mmCIF file of all heavy atoms in Angstrom:
data_model
loop_
_atom_site.group_PDB
_atom_site.id
_atom_site.type_symbol
_atom_site.label_atom_id
_atom_site.label_comp_id
_atom_site.label_asym_id
_atom_site.label_seq_id
_atom_site.Cartn_x
_atom_site.Cartn_y
_atom_site.Cartn_z
ATOM 1 N N ASP A 43 14.178 28.416 -15.266
ATOM 2 C CA ASP A 43 14.056 28.446 -13.825
ATOM 3 C C ASP A 43 14.257 27.041 -13.248
ATOM 4 O O ASP A 43 13.927 26.002 -13.908
ATOM 5 C CB ASP A 43 12.710 28.979 -13.425
ATOM 6 C CG ASP A 43 12.560 30.441 -13.813
ATOM 7 O OD1 ASP A 43 13.548 31.171 -13.672
ATOM 8 O OD2 ASP A 43 11.426 30.865 -14.167
ATOM 9 N N MET A 44 14.689 26.973 -12.001
ATOM 10 C CA MET A 44 14.826 25.657 -11.362
ATOM 11 C C MET A 44 13.467 25.050 -11.129
ATOM 12 O O MET A 44 12.592 25.685 -10.505
ATOM 13 C CB MET A 44 15.550 25.830 -10.025
ATOM 14 C CG MET A 44 15.651 24.536 -9.232
ATOM 15 S SD MET A 44 16.726 23.306 -10.005
ATOM 16 C CE MET A 44 18.382 24.086 -9.609
ATOM 17 N N PRO A 45 13.209 23.826 -11.631
ATOM 18 C CA PRO A 45 11.933 23.211 -11.323
ATOM 19 C C PRO A 45 11.774 22.827 -9.845
ATOM 20 O O PRO A 45 12.795 22.690 -9.162
ATOM 21 C CB PRO A 45 11.954 21.931 -12.216
ATOM 22 C CG PRO A 45 13.418 21.604 -12.333
ATOM 23 C CD PRO A 45 14.141 22.922 -12.357
ATOM 24 N N GLU A 46 10.531 22.721 -9.419
ATOM 25 C CA GLU A 46 10.329 22.357 -8.070
ATOM 26 C C GLU A 46 9.108 21.503 -7.934
ATOM 27 O O GLU A 46 8.046 21.813 -8.563
ATOM 28 C CB GLU A 46 10.116 23.591 -7.137
ATOM 29 C CG GLU A 46 9.841 23.290 -5.684
ATOM 30 C CD GLU A 46 9.675 24.562 -4.833
ATOM 31 O OE1 GLU A 46 9.613 25.600 -5.436
ATOM 32 O OE2 GLU A 46 9.545 24.460 -3.634
ATOM 33 N N ILE A 47 9.176 20.415 -7.218
ATOM 34 C CA ILE A 47 8.005 19.518 -6.933
ATOM 35 C C ILE A 47 7.418 19.936 -5.608
ATOM 36 O O ILE A 47 8.112 19.970 -4.557
ATOM 37 C CB ILE A 47 8.463 18.109 -6.872
ATOM 38 C CG1 ILE A 47 8.928 17.620 -8.224
ATOM 39 C CG2 ILE A 47 7.211 17.218 -6.491
ATOM 40 C CD1 ILE A 47 9.549 16.179 -8.219
ATOM 41 N N LYS A 48 6.175 20.259 -5.578
ATOM 42 C CA LYS A 48 5.489 20.640 -4.353
ATOM 43 C C LYS A 48 4.955 19.374 -3.675
ATOM 44 O O LYS A 48 5.022 19.337 -2.430
ATOM 45 C CB LYS A 48 4.325 21.584 -4.691
ATOM 46 C CG LYS A 48 4.750 22.920 -5.252
ATOM 47 C CD LYS A 48 5.453 23.830 -4.228
ATOM 48 C CE LYS A 48 5.677 25.199 -4.792
ATOM 49 N NZ LYS A 48 6.462 26.026 -3.812
ATOM 50 N N TYR A 49 4.414 18.484 -4.473
ATOM 51 C CA TYR A 49 3.862 17.232 -3.906
ATOM 52 C C TYR A 49 3.650 16.219 -5.016
ATOM 53 O O TYR A 49 3.691 16.589 -6.191
ATOM 54 C CB TYR A 49 2.567 17.489 -3.093
ATOM 55 C CG TYR A 49 1.483 18.129 -3.834
ATOM 56 C CD1 TYR A 49 0.640 17.405 -4.678
ATOM 57 C CD2 TYR A 49 1.247 19.550 -3.718
ATOM 58 C CE1 TYR A 49 -0.429 18.012 -5.372
ATOM 59 C CE2 TYR A 49 0.237 20.145 -4.418
ATOM 60 C CZ TYR A 49 -0.608 19.341 -5.213
ATOM 61 O OH TYR A 49 -1.605 19.955 -5.904
ATOM 62 N N LEU A 73 3.359 14.484 -10.585
ATOM 63 C CA LEU A 73 4.300 15.373 -9.967
ATOM 64 C C LEU A 73 3.702 16.824 -10.077
ATOM 65 O O LEU A 73 3.500 17.245 -11.234
ATOM 66 C CB LEU A 73 5.712 15.333 -10.492
ATOM 67 C CG LEU A 73 6.304 13.949 -10.760
ATOM 68 C CD1 LEU A 73 7.739 14.125 -11.347
ATOM 69 C CD2 LEU A 73 6.306 13.153 -9.493
ATOM 70 N N VAL A 74 3.417 17.488 -9.018
ATOM 71 C CA VAL A 74 2.779 18.773 -8.993
ATOM 72 C C VAL A 74 3.714 19.790 -8.439
ATOM 73 O O VAL A 74 4.314 19.588 -7.381
ATOM 74 C CB VAL A 74 1.469 18.770 -8.257
ATOM 75 C CG1 VAL A 74 0.779 20.177 -8.407
ATOM 76 C CG2 VAL A 74 0.548 17.743 -8.865
ATOM 77 N N GLY A 75 3.980 20.938 -9.197
ATOM 78 C CA GLY A 75 4.945 21.913 -8.683
ATOM 79 C C GLY A 75 4.967 23.153 -9.552
ATOM 80 O O GLY A 75 3.932 23.592 -10.060
ATOM 81 N N GLU A 76 6.179 23.645 -9.720
ATOM 82 C CA GLU A 76 6.376 24.903 -10.500
ATOM 83 C C GLU A 76 7.529 24.719 -11.452
ATOM 84 O O GLU A 76 8.451 23.934 -11.223
ATOM 85 C CB GLU A 76 6.676 26.052 -9.569
ATOM 86 C CG GLU A 76 5.562 26.423 -8.596
ATOM 87 C CD GLU A 76 5.939 27.561 -7.656
ATOM 88 O OE1 GLU A 76 7.090 27.940 -7.635
ATOM 89 O OE2 GLU A 76 5.026 28.018 -6.932
ATOM 90 N N ASP A 77 7.445 25.428 -12.601
ATOM 91 C CA ASP A 77 8.526 25.458 -13.608
ATOM 92 C C ASP A 77 8.978 24.064 -14.034
ATOM 93 O O ASP A 77 10.131 23.805 -14.238
ATOM 94 C CB ASP A 77 9.763 26.225 -12.994
ATOM 95 C CG ASP A 77 9.422 27.682 -12.647
ATOM 96 O OD1 ASP A 77 8.767 28.376 -13.482
ATOM 97 O OD2 ASP A 77 9.759 28.108 -11.519
ATOM 98 N N LEU A 78 8.003 23.214 -14.264
ATOM 99 C CA LEU A 78 8.228 21.823 -14.695
ATOM 100 C C LEU A 78 8.268 21.685 -16.242
ATOM 101 O O LEU A 78 8.603 20.631 -16.730
ATOM 102 C CB LEU A 78 7.152 20.887 -14.125
ATOM 103 C CG LEU A 78 7.048 20.853 -12.602
ATOM 104 C CD1 LEU A 78 5.850 19.929 -12.165
ATOM 105 C CD2 LEU A 78 8.401 20.387 -11.938
ATOM 106 N N GLY A 79 7.902 22.725 -16.949
ATOM 107 C CA GLY A 79 7.837 22.598 -18.415
ATOM 108 C C GLY A 79 9.103 22.312 -19.134
ATOM 109 O O GLY A 79 9.074 21.812 -20.280
ATOM 110 N N VAL A 81 11.481 20.223 -18.043
ATOM 111 C CA VAL A 81 12.083 18.961 -17.594
ATOM 112 C C VAL A 81 12.106 18.012 -18.782
ATOM 113 O O VAL A 81 11.099 17.800 -19.528
ATOM 114 C CB VAL A 81 11.154 18.369 -16.450
ATOM 115 C CG1 VAL A 81 11.615 16.948 -16.196
ATOM 116 C CG2 VAL A 81 11.324 19.206 -15.222
ATOM 117 N N ASN A 100 3.893 23.291 -17.073
ATOM 118 C CA ASN A 100 4.635 24.019 -16.094
ATOM 119 C C ASN A 100 4.276 23.614 -14.691
ATOM 120 O O ASN A 100 5.082 23.645 -13.743
ATOM 121 C CB ASN A 100 4.538 25.526 -16.245
ATOM 122 C CG ASN A 100 5.535 26.110 -17.133
ATOM 123 O OD1 ASN A 100 6.697 25.559 -17.286
ATOM 124 N ND2 ASN A 100 5.184 27.186 -17.906
ATOM 125 N N ASP A 101 3.036 23.122 -14.526
ATOM 126 C CA ASP A 101 2.507 22.864 -13.178
ATOM 127 C C ASP A 101 2.419 21.406 -12.824
ATOM 128 O O ASP A 101 2.296 21.118 -11.620
ATOM 129 C CB ASP A 101 1.099 23.497 -13.054
ATOM 130 C CG ASP A 101 1.091 24.981 -13.317
ATOM 131 O OD1 ASP A 101 1.995 25.651 -12.800
ATOM 132 O OD2 ASP A 101 0.187 25.495 -14.050
ATOM 133 N N ALA A 102 2.502 20.509 -13.723
ATOM 134 C CA ALA A 102 2.348 19.060 -13.454
ATOM 135 C C ALA A 102 2.991 18.217 -14.493
ATOM 136 O O ALA A 102 3.063 18.594 -15.647
ATOM 137 C CB ALA A 102 0.854 18.730 -13.289
ATOM 138 N N ILE A 103 3.447 17.075 -14.033
ATOM 139 C CA ILE A 103 3.933 16.022 -14.963
ATOM 140 C C ILE A 103 3.288 14.704 -14.534
ATOM 141 O O ILE A 103 3.371 14.316 -13.324
ATOM 142 C CB ILE A 103 5.445 15.847 -14.909
ATOM 143 C CG1 ILE A 103 6.143 17.168 -15.342
ATOM 144 C CG2 ILE A 103 5.917 14.720 -15.810
ATOM 145 C CD1 ILE A 103 7.691 17.171 -15.178
ATOM 146 N N LEU A 121 14.936 15.514 -11.243
ATOM 147 C CA LEU A 121 14.518 16.153 -12.498
ATOM 148 C C LEU A 121 15.763 16.825 -13.181
ATOM 149 O O LEU A 121 16.568 17.452 -12.481
ATOM 150 C CB LEU A 121 13.458 17.235 -12.146
ATOM 151 C CG LEU A 121 12.258 16.818 -11.306
ATOM 152 C CD1 LEU A 121 11.359 18.032 -11.154
ATOM 153 C CD2 LEU A 121 11.515 15.676 -11.946
ATOM 154 N N THR A 123 16.553 19.493 -16.440
ATOM 155 C CA THR A 123 15.931 20.367 -17.372
ATOM 156 C C THR A 123 16.766 20.414 -18.682
ATOM 157 O O THR A 123 17.878 19.946 -18.743
ATOM 158 C CB THR A 123 15.825 21.775 -16.841
ATOM 159 O OG1 THR A 123 17.138 22.321 -16.751
ATOM 160 C CG2 THR A 123 15.169 21.777 -15.484
ATOM 161 N N TYR A 129 17.237 18.855 -10.042
ATOM 162 C CA TYR A 129 16.511 19.117 -8.796
ATOM 163 C C TYR A 129 16.151 17.748 -8.285
ATOM 164 O O TYR A 129 15.745 16.850 -9.034
ATOM 165 C CB TYR A 129 15.236 19.907 -9.135
ATOM 166 C CG TYR A 129 14.234 20.011 -8.003
ATOM 167 C CD1 TYR A 129 14.362 20.900 -6.975
ATOM 168 C CD2 TYR A 129 13.152 19.121 -7.912
ATOM 169 C CE1 TYR A 129 13.415 20.975 -5.924
ATOM 170 C CE2 TYR A 129 12.255 19.144 -6.872
ATOM 171 C CZ TYR A 129 12.407 20.061 -5.901
ATOM 172 O OH TYR A 129 11.528 20.128 -4.828
ATOM 173 N N THR A 130 16.248 17.563 -6.948
ATOM 174 C CA THR A 130 15.922 16.303 -6.348
ATOM 175 C C THR A 130 14.823 16.464 -5.287
ATOM 176 O O THR A 130 14.706 17.554 -4.686
ATOM 177 C CB THR A 130 17.120 15.681 -5.633
ATOM 178 O OG1 THR A 130 17.655 16.549 -4.694
ATOM 179 C CG2 THR A 130 18.209 15.322 -6.687
ATOM 180 N N TYR A 131 14.039 15.410 -5.146
ATOM 181 C CA TYR A 131 12.885 15.415 -4.243
ATOM 182 C C TYR A 131 12.832 14.035 -3.531
ATOM 183 O O TYR A 131 12.922 13.034 -4.233
ATOM 184 C CB TYR A 131 11.588 15.669 -5.067
ATOM 185 C CG TYR A 131 10.308 15.663 -4.277
ATOM 186 C CD1 TYR A 131 9.903 16.775 -3.630
ATOM 187 C CD2 TYR A 131 9.504 14.534 -4.212
ATOM 188 C CE1 TYR A 131 8.714 16.875 -2.908
ATOM 189 C CE2 TYR A 131 8.313 14.558 -3.453
ATOM 190 C CZ TYR A 131 7.946 15.724 -2.872
ATOM 191 O OH TYR A 131 6.742 15.736 -2.131
#
Side-chain angles (χ1 to χ4, degrees):
D43 295 325
M44 177 67 74
E46 181 181 5
I47 298 173
K48 297 292 188 180
Y49 56 84
L73 313 181
V74 182
E76 296 177 352
D77 300 311
L78 300 177
V81 171
N100 271 330
D101 301 317
I103 300 175
L121 306 182
T123 70
Y129 170 84
T130 58
Y131 180 84

